[in-house]
Amino acid sequence: MDRQTDPGLAVHVICDNLSAHKAPVVHKWLLAHPRFRLHFTPAYSSWINQVERWFAELERRCLERGVFCSLDELKTGLEEWIKTWNEQARPFKWTKTADQIIDRICRCCDRISGPGH
């Protein structure tokens, strides 16, 4: 990423809370490359799931049925899809309460924890 990203741009990296970034060699590299800015997901976070969901939408709506004969066509297709997505962006709205979600999880756990599973 360092060699392929314009030197004038900051690079934001989203990391989970594992300690790999604390290894001395990694820490030394990060100090030598201050444009790399690490952002860590909160413990037990679910926002990273929204990022995964977005990539699933990108795959389903753009890549799955897309035909790209060159890297330039792929890049153009991705950029157009992202632009359209951003123009139609709206906040995610939960449709269930926390109690409804927990109840459903409990029912699922009851089903799969019995004999035969």
Side-chain angles (χ1 to χ4, degrees), residues 48-100:
I48 196 72
N49 295 338
Q50 294 301 315
V51 174
E52 292 171 349
R53 187 69 218 125
W54 184 85
F55 277 106
E57 289 296 310
L58 171 80
E59 180 182 8
R60 187 173 67 84
R61 295 183 182 191
C62 177
L63 299 176
E64 197 170 85
R65 294 195 171 124
V67 176
F68 308 100
C69 296
S70 70
L71 187 57
D72 286 337
E73 284 184 20
L74 173 61
K75 184 177 175 183
T76 299
L78 289 170
E79 289 171 347
E80 288 174 3
W81 187 85
I82 292 168
K83 182 179 180 212
T84 300
W85 176 271
N86 287 336
E87 288 169 353
Q88 300 171 2
R90 60 188 189 282
F92 177 79
K93 253 178 121 172
W94 289 104
T95 58
K96 303 278 186 186
T97 67
D99 288 336
Q100 290 171 317

